[in-house]
Amino acid sequence: MISMDTVKELAQAMQIMITEQEAQKVQQSLSDILEYASGLQNAMEEPS
Amino acid sequence: MNILTLPIAVLQEKMLRRELSATEICQAFIARIEEVENRVQAYVYLDLEHALAQAKQVDKKIAKKMPLGALFGIPMAVKAAMNTQRMPTSACCSRLIHHHVTDNAPVIQRLLAADAILLGKNNMDQLSMGSSTITSCFYPSKNPWDLSKTPGGSSGGGAAGVAALESCFALGSDTGGSIRQPASYCGLVGCKPSFGNIAAEGLLALAPTFDQIGPLTKTVADMACVLDVAVEQKPNIAYSKKITEALPHFTVGVPKEYFHAGLRAEVKSCVLQAVAVLEKIGLRVQEVSLPLTQYCLPDYCLLTPVEFLPIFDQLQEMAGDENGDWGLEVKTRVLTGAFLASEKGREKYYLPAVKMREAIKKEVALMWQKVDFLLTPSTLDVAFSYEQMPSGVQMRKSDELLAMANLTGIPAISLPCAFLDNMPVGMQFMAAYGKDDCLLQLAYAFEQESALKIDYLDLL
């Protein structure tokens, strides 16, 4: 799970204005995508 | 006879015989826009007076027997992310609402030089980020088959407009399925040519190694006519001629991984019925396996946000002091990209995703030693309603069966194969890189044999 602080730091670095509500949604979406992609990550880590 | 439903070749034949003028054709499409646009919302910019002036020029050329371009007198629309001289290129983003450019995108320039008539620019998901047009800063477009449903996205406005007979064809762009998914949802033919076959110059990019411009049409024959002009590297035989040649005894692979539990059972049946049609036209069909299919969409989700980062920097500069804000989807993808490019994200997620793309390319390249084409469903289900719209990863899954063609750069085409709940079902053919002509030939042969009748005039 990506923390809210990380989301806010990223937004600041990218010069994006983001509300608290938006940050929460981004946090959820980003976490969902990373979870969705975890199988890919595991597949590439497995010895071929 | 209704002008709006006639194929490109027939419209042009009638113009040459002076049975119809380019002006009359243009006026018919303008009248249709006036009749249905408030319900469909396919367009965000219209340039109808100029379109009529273009049509009059074509009529003059016909009258004076001057040379005509290959798309003479054919009304078209283009995605709002493509550069046009006369209309803003906002990509349906409030931060870019006043973004004007001085030159047409090269592909649009080629179409105009071929005497096509530009009616306007279509609605889309903001910066091509979305699968429904809901992220447009203007309004969502409506699916002419059922106005409560999405036409798909991101090139949803173009698909809605062609299906509603508000343009003869539309140009869209496809980064992970953004032409083929709306084509599937709206009962149209949508083609993503081989990567680079149509230069992406003049398109507000989403992910430059994925982006591909392509057309949306009502038939494969119309698709071939448009591609004859739009594609830069011309094949030896024009697509519109090639499609009518006898089909060699090709082999079609049906990858079992595309028919997984998430695919609606009735969609699966519809697509598998296409196998009988293919066998009837003399093709060999066999089940094949592409085990990395399950990683295609996750790979797309990890790679494209990182590619978008440098583009976003340019867009921030272009937008300058313009009022408005980036939409939530844009912010999400930028911040996802920023995380994946960071020290934390790069090693763990991004670099494995880069390796996975190479592995997928290898797996697909090997497949062409066994088969000439792949047949899959285009989408997991028919178009969804705005009321029951999925969100997040679930929304992204509407492109699950389409992302592989963008990861590998191969050509792919979606065309209607059946109906479910009075909505069209799309299926997809894919071919090896550069085999666009054979792909169109197969799609045309299938379309002729299946003889699926769609009366677009009846939709609204």
Side-chain angles (χ1 to χ4, degrees):
Chain A
M1 187 79 176
I2 302 296
S3 72
M4 280 288 277
D5 283 347
T6 302
V7 171
K8 287 174 185 172
E9 282 166 21
L10 291 169
Q12 199 173 13
M14 294 305 297
Q15 297 180 319
I16 287 179
M17 300 286 285
I18 193 162
T19 64
E20 192 71 17
Q21 197 185 7
E22 284 177 329
Q24 279 173 8
K25 286 184 179 170
V26 171
Q27 181 197 26
Q28 187 61 54
S29 297
L30 178 49
S31 300
D32 287 350
I33 283 171
L34 296 181
E35 191 189 328
Y36 179 52
S38 59
L40 178 155
Q41 183 206 348
N42 295 336
M44 293 318 289
E45 278 172 3
E46 282 167 15
S48 52
Chain B
M1 179 199 80
N2 190 300
I3 292 172
L4 302 170
T5 58
L6 292 177
I8 289 174
V10 175
L11 284 171
Q12 293 188 326
E13 207 178 281
K14 287 188 178 295
M15 281 187 271
L16 290 176
R17 285 189 193 154
R18 313 288 175 90
E19 291 169 18
L20 270 178
S21 68
T23 304
E24 285 170 321
I25 293 169
C26 191
Q27 282 169 335
F29 278 93
I30 291 173
R32 179 68 172 177
I33 290 169
E34 284 165 356
E35 183 194 347
V36 303
E37 175 58 13
N38 62 343
R39 284 181 281 159
V40 180
Q41 301 183 144
Y43 285 94
V44 290
Y45 307 108
L46 287 164
D47 194 12
L48 302 180
E49 273 185 34
H50 188 68
L52 271 173
Q54 285 178 282
K56 281 177 185 157
Q57 284 300 319
V58 171
D59 285 332
K60 269 187 196 168
K61 282 188 179 182
I62 294 172
K64 292 182 179 174
K65 297 192 174 163
M66 289 165 70
L68 290 161
L71 285 172
F72 71 91
I74 302 301
M76 65 169 178
V78 301
K79 192 172 183 176
M82 292 175 195
N83 286 350
T84 50
Q85 282 174 337
R86 297 178 51 84
M87 291 170 271
T89 303
S90 67
C92 294
C93 185
S94 56
R95 290 277 286 151
L96 301 173
I97 209 90
H98 297 115
H99 177 55
H100 283 269
V101 295
T102 51
D103 295 317
N104 290 320
V107 62
I108 294 173
Q109 195 54 44
R110 265 201 307 288
L111 295 168
L112 291 173
D115 292 323
I117 312 293
L118 180 56
L119 295 168
K121 294 178 89 164
N122 291 127
N123 194 25
M124 57 182 282
D125 282 293
Q126 185 168 149
L127 291 174
S128 300
M129 294 179 180
S131 308
S132 65
T133 69
I134 196 79
T135 72
S136 165
C137 72
F138 294 101
Y139 32 70
S141 296
K142 310 290 169 57
N143 192 319
W145 290 75
D146 178 343
L147 296 171
S148 71
K149 294 189 172 179
T150 175
S154 62
S155 309
V162 176
L165 304 173
E166 294 185 76
S167 70
C168 188
F169 72 91
L171 268 195
S173 67
D174 190 314
T175 304
S178 282
I179 290 172
R180 291 163 288 151
Q181 183 250 31
S184 177
Y185 283 178
C186 291
L188 297 174
V189 181
C191 183
K192 184 206 88 66
S194 288
F195 180 74
N197 254 11
I198 300 174
E201 199 186 333
L203 168 74
L204 280 183
L206 172 54
T209 72
F210 290 74
D211 295 334
Q212 182 57 60
I213 291 172
L216 288 142
T217 60
K218 294 189 290 296
T219 65
V220 178
D222 279 3
M223 177 64 68
C225 289
V226 179
L227 287 174
D228 276 341
V229 175
V231 167
E232 276 166 90
Q233 300 291 325
K234 302 291 179 222
N236 293 333
I237 304 170
Y239 296 122
S240 51
K241 289 209 166 44
K242 178 80 175 178
I243 58 169
T244 58
E245 287 182 0
L247 201 62
H249 293 289
F250 287 126
T251 303
V252 179
V254 181
K256 61 182 180 187
E257 290 81 4
Y258 280 77
F259 295 82
H260 58 70
L263 178 69
R264 183 173 165 187
E266 293 90 337
V267 172
K268 180 179 176 178
S269 305
C270 290
V271 176
L272 290 179
Q273 279 168 22
V275 170
V277 178
L278 294 173
E279 286 171 341
K280 205 173 162 192
I281 53 180
L283 297 168
R284 188 163 165 260
V285 183
Q286 65 181 66
E287 187 182 90
V288 293
S289 177
L290 288 167
L292 296 180
T293 296
Q294 61 179 311
Y295 302 121
C296 286
L297 187 63
D299 208 30
Y300 167 88
C301 289
L302 294 179
L303 294 175
T304 53
V306 178
E307 281 197 21
F308 182 66
L309 288 180
I311 298 162
F312 182 69
D313 285 340
Q314 291 167 17
L315 293 175
Q316 288 269 55
E317 209 168 298
M318 269 165 50
D321 296 332
E322 180 69 68
N323 287 329
D325 197 3
W326 304 110
L328 180 62
E329 187 63 30
V330 175
K331 291 179 183 180
T332 301
R333 295 204 194 189
V334 170
L335 298 181
T336 300
F339 174 75
L340 293 168
S342 72
E343 207 176 318
K344 271 186 199 167
R346 188 176 160 81
E347 285 293 323
K348 195 171 177 188
Y349 297 99
Y350 180 68
L351 292 180
V354 172
K355 278 166 70 183
M356 178 57 81
R357 187 178 190 179
E358 289 311 308
I360 291 167
K361 280 183 183 175
K362 276 185 194 163
E363 182 175 273
V364 174
L366 283 172
M367 184 53 62
W368 305 125
Q369 294 175 8
K370 293 182 192 164
V371 300
D372 301 292
F373 302 104
L374 292 169
L375 163 67
T376 74
S378 296
T379 51
L380 300 173
D381 203 341
V382 296
F384 51 84
S385 72
Y386 279 115
E387 274 186 10
Q388 294 166 334
M389 203 167 61
S391 61
V393 169
Q394 285 308 315
M395 173 70 101
R396 305 287 283 268
K397 283 188 177 176
S398 65
D399 290 338
E400 189 175 336
L401 310 177
L402 304 168
M404 188 268 270
N406 302 84
L407 283 163
T408 58
I410 62 172
I413 191 165
S414 177
L415 62 163
C417 66
F419 306 102
L420 261 183
D421 311 330
N422 297 317
M423 294 298 291
V425 177
M427 58 175 233
Q428 175 180 231
F429 288 125
M430 292 180 272
Y433 185 84
K435 299 279 186 188
D436 302 51
D437 52 350
C438 298
L439 184 71
L440 287 170
Q441 205 183 354
L442 171 71
Y444 182 74
F446 176 85
E447 188 183 68
Q448 296 298 302
E449 188 61 38
S450 67
L452 196 72
K453 290 272 179 283
I454 300 179
D455 191 346
Y456 297 96
L457 210 52
D458 271 358
L459 296 182
L460 289 163

